[in-house]
Protein backbone atom coordinates (compact mmCIF):
# COMPACT_ATOMS: atom_id res chain seq x y z
CA UNK A 1 0.00 0.00 0.00
CA UNK A 2 1.16 3.53 -0.80
CA UNK A 3 2.85 5.45 1.94
CA UNK A 4 1.93 9.11 2.27
CA UNK A 5 3.93 12.03 3.58
CA UNK A 6 3.11 14.38 6.45
CA UNK A 7 2.42 17.07 3.85
CA UNK A 8 -0.24 14.89 2.23
CA UNK A 9 -1.85 14.19 5.59
CA UNK A 10 -1.83 17.89 6.53
CA UNK A 11 -3.53 18.89 3.27
CA UNK A 12 -6.11 16.12 3.52
CA UNK A 13 -6.81 17.11 7.12
CA UNK A 14 -7.29 20.74 6.11
CA UNK A 15 -9.72 19.69 3.37
CA UNK A 16 -11.71 17.52 5.80
CA UNK A 17 -11.78 20.17 8.53
CA UNK A 18 -13.07 22.73 6.01
CA UNK A 19 -15.59 20.40 4.38
CA UNK A 20 -16.95 18.71 7.50
CA UNK A 21 -16.53 21.35 10.18
CA UNK A 22 -14.65 18.94 12.46
CA UNK A 23 -11.73 19.78 14.74
CA UNK A 24 -8.14 19.12 13.70
CA UNK A 25 -7.63 16.49 16.37
CA UNK A 26 -10.64 14.47 15.22
CA UNK A 27 -8.95 13.86 11.88
CA UNK A 28 -6.75 10.85 12.60
CA UNK A 29 -5.59 8.30 10.02
CA UNK A 30 -7.92 5.68 11.53
CA UNK A 31 -11.04 7.89 11.60
CA UNK A 32 -13.79 6.85 9.18
CA UNK A 33 -15.22 9.65 7.07
CA UNK A 34 -18.86 8.72 7.62
CA UNK A 35 -18.96 7.11 11.06
CA UNK A 36 -16.37 9.18 12.91
CA UNK A 37 -16.36 12.48 11.02
CA UNK A 38 -20.03 12.60 10.06
CA UNK A 39 -19.62 12.99 6.31
CA UNK A 40 -22.83 12.89 4.30
CA UNK A 41 -23.12 12.10 0.62
CA UNK A 42 -23.00 15.74 -0.48
CA UNK A 43 -19.84 16.23 1.59
CA UNK A 44 -17.94 13.79 -0.61
CA UNK A 45 -18.39 16.12 -3.58
CA UNK A 46 -17.10 18.99 -1.46
CA UNK A 47 -14.11 16.90 -0.30
CA UNK A 48 -13.30 15.99 -3.90
CA UNK A 49 -13.33 19.68 -4.94
CA UNK A 50 -11.08 20.62 -2.04
CA UNK A 51 -8.60 17.82 -2.70
CA UNK A 52 -8.49 18.58 -6.43
CA UNK A 53 -7.73 22.22 -5.68
CA UNK A 54 -5.24 21.55 -2.92
CA UNK A 55 -3.23 18.93 -4.81
CA UNK A 56 -3.85 20.04 -8.40
CA UNK A 57 -5.26 16.63 -9.33
CA UNK A 58 -8.40 15.28 -11.00
CA UNK A 59 -10.52 12.76 -9.14
CA UNK A 60 -12.92 10.71 -11.27
CA UNK A 61 -15.99 9.68 -9.28
CA UNK A 62 -15.67 5.97 -10.01
CA UNK A 63 -12.25 5.85 -8.33
CA UNK A 64 -13.70 6.74 -4.93
CA UNK A 65 -17.19 5.29 -5.40
CA UNK A 66 -17.16 1.88 -7.08
CA UNK A 67 -20.94 1.89 -7.42
CA UNK A 68 -20.79 -0.07 -10.65
CA UNK A 69 -19.21 -2.99 -8.77
CA UNK A 70 -21.49 -2.76 -5.75
CA UNK A 71 -24.63 -2.77 -7.89
CA UNK A 72 -23.49 -5.48 -10.27
CA UNK A 73 -25.26 -8.82 -9.68
CA UNK A 74 -22.13 -10.53 -10.95
CA UNK A 75 -20.24 -9.24 -7.90
CA UNK A 76 -22.95 -9.10 -5.23
CA UNK A 77 -24.99 -11.97 -3.83
CA UNK A 78 -27.54 -11.74 -1.00
CA UNK A 79 -26.39 -8.24 -0.14
CA UNK A 80 -22.73 -9.17 0.18
CA UNK A 81 -19.80 -8.74 -2.15
CA UNK A 82 -18.65 -12.06 -3.61
CA UNK A 83 -14.98 -13.13 -3.65
CA UNK A 84 -14.92 -12.17 -7.33
CA UNK A 85 -16.34 -8.77 -6.41
CA UNK A 86 -13.70 -8.35 -3.70
CA UNK A 87 -11.04 -8.99 -6.31
CA UNK A 88 -12.53 -6.23 -8.47
CA UNK A 89 -12.74 -3.84 -5.51
CA UNK A 90 -9.09 -4.45 -4.63
CA UNK A 91 -8.11 -3.77 -8.23
CA UNK A 92 -10.12 -0.54 -8.28
CA UNK A 93 -9.10 0.63 -4.82
CA UNK A 94 -5.57 -0.64 -4.17
CA UNK A 95 -5.05 2.32 -1.84
CA UNK A 96 -7.86 1.29 0.54
CA UNK A 97 -7.57 -1.09 3.45
CA UNK A 98 -10.34 -3.57 2.67
CA UNK A 99 -9.22 -6.25 5.14
CA UNK A 100 -11.86 -5.45 7.77
CA UNK A 101 -14.64 -5.11 5.18
CA UNK A 102 -13.62 -8.42 3.64
CA UNK A 103 -14.43 -10.27 6.86
CA UNK A 104 -18.13 -9.47 6.44
CA UNK A 105 -18.49 -7.71 3.08
CA UNK A 106 -22.07 -6.45 3.30
CA UNK A 107 -22.74 -3.82 0.65
CA UNK A 108 -24.62 -1.66 3.14
CA UNK A 109 -21.44 -1.33 5.21
CA UNK A 110 -19.29 -0.18 2.33
CA UNK A 111 -20.31 3.47 2.78
CA UNK A 112 -18.56 3.60 6.13
CA UNK A 113 -15.39 1.95 4.92
CA UNK A 114 -13.14 4.83 3.94
CA UNK A 115 -10.78 6.25 6.52
CA UNK A 116 -8.69 9.39 6.53
CA UNK A 117 -5.64 7.19 5.95
CA UNK A 118 -7.31 5.66 2.88
CA UNK A 119 -7.89 9.14 1.47
CA UNK A 120 -4.24 10.02 2.07
CA UNK A 121 -3.14 6.81 0.35
CA UNK A 122 -5.44 7.58 -2.58
CA UNK A 123 -4.14 11.12 -3.01
CA UNK A 124 -0.55 9.87 -2.77
CA UNK A 125 -1.19 7.69 -5.83
CA UNK A 126 -2.30 10.75 -7.80
CA UNK A 127 0.59 13.11 -7.19
CA UNK B 1 -43.39 37.76 -4.59
CA UNK B 2 -40.86 36.68 -7.18
CA UNK B 3 -37.74 34.96 -5.98
CA UNK B 4 -35.32 37.27 -7.81
CA UNK B 5 -32.37 38.29 -5.69
CA UNK B 6 -30.43 40.08 -8.35
CA UNK B 7 -31.91 42.92 -10.34
CA UNK B 8 -29.72 42.79 -13.38
CA UNK B 9 -26.83 40.92 -14.92
CA UNK B 10 -24.07 43.34 -15.90
CA UNK B 11 -21.50 40.87 -17.21
CA UNK B 12 -21.49 37.20 -18.12
CA UNK B 13 -18.67 35.27 -19.72
CA UNK B 14 -19.53 31.64 -20.33
CA UNK B 15 -17.56 29.23 -18.17
CA UNK B 16 -15.67 32.02 -16.44
CA UNK B 17 -17.46 34.70 -14.43
CA UNK B 18 -20.57 36.83 -14.05
CA UNK B 19 -21.51 40.10 -12.40
CA UNK B 20 -24.81 41.57 -11.34
CA UNK B 21 -26.48 44.30 -9.34
CA UNK B 22 -28.80 44.11 -6.35
CA UNK B 23 -30.44 47.35 -5.25
CA UNK B 24 -31.64 47.44 -1.65
CA UNK B 25 -34.94 49.30 -1.28
CA UNK B 26 -36.91 50.22 1.81
CA UNK B 27 -40.16 49.09 0.26
CA UNK B 28 -38.98 45.48 0.06
CA UNK B 29 -41.10 43.38 2.37
CA UNK B 30 -38.12 41.35 3.41
CA UNK B 31 -36.56 44.33 5.17
CA UNK B 32 -39.66 44.95 7.29
CA UNK B 33 -39.43 42.35 9.99
CA UNK B 34 -35.88 41.08 9.85
CA UNK B 35 -34.48 43.60 12.31
CA UNK B 36 -36.97 46.05 13.72
CA UNK B 37 -35.87 49.71 13.67
CA UNK B 38 -32.74 48.81 11.69
CA UNK B 39 -33.80 47.64 8.23
CA UNK B 40 -31.18 45.87 6.19
CA UNK B 41 -31.08 43.11 3.62
CA UNK B 42 -30.75 39.72 5.38
CA UNK B 43 -27.29 38.30 4.67
CA UNK B 44 -28.83 34.98 3.64
CA UNK B 45 -30.47 36.75 0.71
CA UNK B 46 -27.11 38.15 -0.34
CA UNK B 47 -25.93 34.54 -0.48
CA UNK B 48 -29.07 33.68 -2.44
CA UNK B 49 -28.39 36.51 -4.91
CA UNK B 50 -24.85 35.36 -5.56
CA UNK B 51 -26.10 31.76 -5.70
CA UNK B 52 -28.54 32.76 -8.43
CA UNK B 53 -25.76 34.48 -10.34
CA UNK B 54 -23.43 31.52 -9.81
CA UNK B 55 -26.09 28.91 -10.47
CA UNK B 56 -26.82 30.41 -13.87
CA UNK B 57 -23.10 30.54 -14.61
CA UNK B 58 -22.82 26.83 -13.78
CA UNK B 59 -26.00 25.79 -15.59
CA UNK B 60 -24.98 27.61 -18.76
CA UNK B 61 -21.49 26.11 -18.61
CA UNK B 62 -23.12 22.66 -18.67
CA UNK B 63 -25.29 23.72 -21.60
CA UNK B 64 -28.45 23.83 -19.43
CA UNK B 65 -28.46 20.01 -19.28
CA UNK B 66 -28.06 19.78 -15.49
CA UNK B 67 -30.51 20.61 -12.73
CA UNK B 68 -28.25 22.82 -10.66
CA UNK B 69 -28.97 23.35 -6.97
CA UNK B 70 -27.05 25.12 -4.22
CA UNK B 71 -25.69 22.28 -2.08
CA UNK B 72 -23.25 23.86 0.35
CA UNK B 73 -22.03 27.23 1.55
CA UNK B 74 -18.34 26.69 2.23
CA UNK B 75 -17.72 30.21 3.47
CA UNK B 76 -19.73 33.37 4.04
CA UNK B 77 -18.19 36.52 5.53
CA UNK B 78 -20.06 39.80 5.86
CA UNK B 79 -18.11 42.99 6.29
CA UNK B 80 -20.98 45.49 6.55
CA UNK B 81 -24.77 45.51 6.39
CA UNK B 82 -26.60 46.22 3.14
CA UNK B 83 -28.85 49.19 3.97
CA UNK B 84 -31.75 50.74 2.08
CA UNK B 85 -30.34 52.78 -0.78
CA UNK B 86 -27.25 50.61 -1.14
CA UNK B 87 -26.37 49.08 -4.46
CA UNK B 88 -24.59 45.75 -4.14
CA UNK B 89 -22.34 44.67 -6.97
CA UNK B 90 -21.99 40.92 -7.05
CA UNK B 91 -19.24 39.09 -8.86
CA UNK B 92 -18.92 35.32 -9.10
CA UNK B 93 -16.20 33.18 -10.63
CA UNK B 94 -16.43 29.54 -11.63
CA UNK B 95 -13.69 27.85 -9.66
CA UNK B 96 -14.06 24.13 -10.28
CA UNK B 97 -16.27 21.68 -12.09
CA UNK B 98 -16.92 17.95 -11.71
CA UNK B 99 -19.34 15.54 -13.34
CA UNK B 100 -21.69 16.04 -10.42
CA UNK B 101 -21.25 19.65 -9.37
CA UNK B 102 -19.28 22.86 -9.41
CA UNK B 103 -17.78 25.44 -7.05
CA UNK B 104 -18.06 29.20 -7.29
CA UNK B 105 -16.33 32.03 -5.45
CA UNK B 106 -18.26 35.26 -4.99
CA UNK B 107 -17.87 38.79 -3.70
CA UNK B 108 -20.27 41.64 -3.01
CA UNK B 109 -19.08 45.24 -3.14
CA UNK B 110 -20.88 48.39 -2.02
CA UNK B 111 -19.56 51.89 -2.66
CA UNK B 112 -16.30 50.32 -3.80
CA UNK B 113 -15.82 48.43 -0.53
CA UNK B 114 -15.90 44.69 -0.03
CA UNK B 115 -19.28 43.94 1.55
CA UNK B 116 -19.34 40.13 1.57
CA UNK B 117 -17.33 37.09 0.43
CA UNK B 118 -18.67 33.61 -0.19
CA UNK B 119 -17.72 30.18 -1.46
CA UNK B 120 -20.53 28.05 -2.83
CA UNK B 121 -20.84 24.48 -4.01
CA UNK B 122 -23.53 23.45 -6.45
CA UNK B 123 -24.65 19.88 -7.09
CA UNK B 124 -26.59 18.39 -9.94
CA UNK B 125 -29.82 16.62 -9.09
CA UNK B 126 -29.80 13.05 -10.31
CA UNK B 127 -32.55 12.05 -12.76
CA UNK B 128 -35.76 11.33 -10.88
CA UNK B 129 -34.67 13.10 -7.70
CA UNK B 130 -37.60 15.26 -6.49
CA UNK B 131 -39.06 15.46 -9.98
CA UNK B 132 -38.44 14.37 -13.53
CA UNK B 133 -37.23 16.84 -16.11
CA UNK B 134 -36.48 20.53 -15.75
CA UNK B 135 -36.93 22.49 -12.53
CA UNK B 136 -38.68 25.18 -14.60
CA UNK B 137 -41.77 25.21 -16.74
CA UNK B 138 -40.86 25.51 -20.43
CA UNK B 139 -39.82 29.06 -21.23
CA UNK B 140 -39.98 30.35 -17.65
CA UNK B 141 -36.23 30.42 -17.11
CA UNK B 142 -35.65 32.19 -20.43
CA UNK B 143 -38.20 34.87 -19.47
CA UNK B 144 -36.60 35.30 -16.05
CA UNK B 145 -33.12 35.64 -17.50
CA UNK B 146 -34.29 38.10 -20.16
CA UNK B 147 -35.96 40.14 -17.43
CA UNK B 148 -32.62 40.23 -15.63
CA UNK B 149 -30.80 41.48 -18.72
CA UNK B 150 -28.69 38.36 -19.15
CA UNK B 151 -28.79 38.11 -22.91
CA UNK B 152 -27.90 41.80 -23.35
CA UNK B 153 -24.51 41.23 -21.73
CA UNK B 154 -23.72 37.51 -22.01
CA UNK B 155 -20.94 36.31 -24.27
CA UNK B 156 -19.49 32.90 -24.97
CA UNK B 157 -15.84 31.94 -24.48
CA UNK B 158 -14.91 33.60 -27.78
CA UNK B 159 -16.68 36.84 -26.86
CA UNK B 160 -19.64 36.28 -29.16
CA UNK B 161 -23.17 37.09 -27.92
CA UNK B 162 -24.73 34.14 -26.16
CA UNK B 163 -27.74 32.71 -27.96
CA UNK B 164 -30.90 31.94 -26.01
CA UNK B 165 -30.92 28.17 -25.74
CA UNK B 166 -34.11 26.33 -26.63
CA UNK B 167 -33.41 24.12 -23.58
CA UNK B 168 -34.62 26.89 -21.25
Amino acid sequence: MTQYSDEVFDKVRTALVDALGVDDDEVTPEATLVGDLGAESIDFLDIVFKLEKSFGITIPREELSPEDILTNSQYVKDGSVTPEGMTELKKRMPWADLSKFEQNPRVQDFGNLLTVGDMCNYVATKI
Amino acid sequence: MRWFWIDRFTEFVSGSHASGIKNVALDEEVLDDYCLAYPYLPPTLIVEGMAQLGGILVAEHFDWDQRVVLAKIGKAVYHRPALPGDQLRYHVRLEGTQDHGATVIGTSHCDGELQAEIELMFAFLEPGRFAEGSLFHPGDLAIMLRTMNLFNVAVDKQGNPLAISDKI
Side-chain angles (χ1 to χ4, degrees):
Chain A
M1 190 169 291
T2 311
Q3 292 297 309
Y4 54 84
S5 64
D6 289 346
E7 183 187 358
V8 166
F9 178 76
D10 287 345
K11 284 186 173 180
V12 169
R13 179 170 58 191
T14 298
L16 295 175
V17 166
D18 286 350
L20 304 176
V22 293
D23 292 332
D24 277 16
D25 58 8
E26 292 180 77
V27 185
T28 62
E30 300 77 25
T32 57
L33 299 183
V34 173
D36 294 329
L37 301 183
E40 298 179 11
S41 59
I42 201 70
D43 294 320
F44 280 90
L45 184 58
D46 194 13
I47 292 166
V48 163
F49 275 122
K50 287 178 174 15
L51 293 178
E52 286 188 333
K53 183 179 177 184
S54 181
F55 289 97
I57 58 176
T58 300
I59 301 177
R61 176 174 173 151
E62 64 273 13
E63 290 187 4
L64 287 180
S65 305
E67 290 162 15
D68 54 325
I69 296 174
L70 298 175
T71 56
N72 188 333
S73 57
Q74 183 185 348
Y75 299 132
V76 176
K77 192 174 181 185
D78 298 330
S80 292
V81 180
T82 62
E84 191 182 4
M86 281 306 305
T87 303
E88 287 301 308
L89 281 177
K90 287 175 183 174
K91 263 193 245 171
R92 178 77 63 84
M93 308 171 75
W95 40 269
D97 181 1
L98 299 174
S99 56
K100 195 172 172 187
F101 176 73
E102 195 170 9
Q103 293 169 16
N104 187 12
R106 295 188 306 170
V107 171
Q108 66 184 66
D109 296 334
F110 189 84
N112 193 32
L113 174 76
L114 289 184
T115 64
V116 174
D118 290 333
M119 295 301 289
C120 293
N121 279 324
Y122 170 72
V123 168
T125 68
K126 307 283 286 184
I127 54 176
Chain B
M1 185 171 136
R2 294 180 298 186
W3 195 249
F4 293 170
W5 293 106
I6 48 175
D7 295 324
R8 180 188 293 176
F9 281 84
T10 55
E11 187 182 18
F12 186 98
V13 178
S14 177
S16 175
H17 62 276
S19 301
I21 289 171
K22 166 62 187 167
N23 290 301
V24 184
L26 193 53
D27 66 350
E28 288 185 89
E29 283 182 34
V30 72
L31 271 67
D32 285 347
D33 300 326
Y34 190 65
C35 183
L36 290 176
Y38 188 70
Y40 66 98
L41 184 65
T44 46
L45 293 177
I46 295 172
V47 172
E48 176 63 26
M50 285 194 269
Q52 291 187 358
L53 204 60
I56 296 300
L57 185 67
V58 172
E60 194 282 326
H61 177 65
F62 285 89
D63 203 22
W64 309 105
D65 287 329
Q66 300 291 348
R67 300 188 300 167
V68 179
V69 295
L70 177 61
K72 238 179 153 178
I73 301 169
K75 169 186 169 185
V77 180
Y78 304 98
H79 298 284
R80 56 177 271 190
L83 304 174
D86 281 344
Q87 183 177 75
L88 304 179
R89 291 184 169 271
Y90 297 155
H91 181 82
V92 296
R93 180 169 57 81
L94 189 59
E95 186 194 40
T97 59
Q98 261 270 347
D99 292 344
H100 298 83
T103 53
V104 161
I105 290 177
T107 55
S108 167
H109 283 79
C110 183
D111 298 327
E113 291 179 13
L114 185 63
Q115 188 267 329
E117 302 169 82
I118 58 166
E119 293 176 8
L120 305 176
M121 188 184 86
F122 296 90
F124 305 150
L125 290 181
E126 293 171 349
R129 179 66 70 95
F130 299 126
E132 291 290 349
S134 172
L135 296 173
F136 298 89
H137 293 298
D140 278 5
L141 182 57
I143 292 170
M144 186 173 106
L145 295 177
R146 291 178 83 146
T147 302
M148 295 194 290
N149 205 47
L150 175 67
F151 298 105
N152 293 63
V153 300
V155 295
D156 63 19
K157 292 182 180 67
Q158 288 73 42
N160 302 310
L162 202 66
I164 302 177
S165 170
D166 57 12
K167 295 178 184 175
I168 60 173

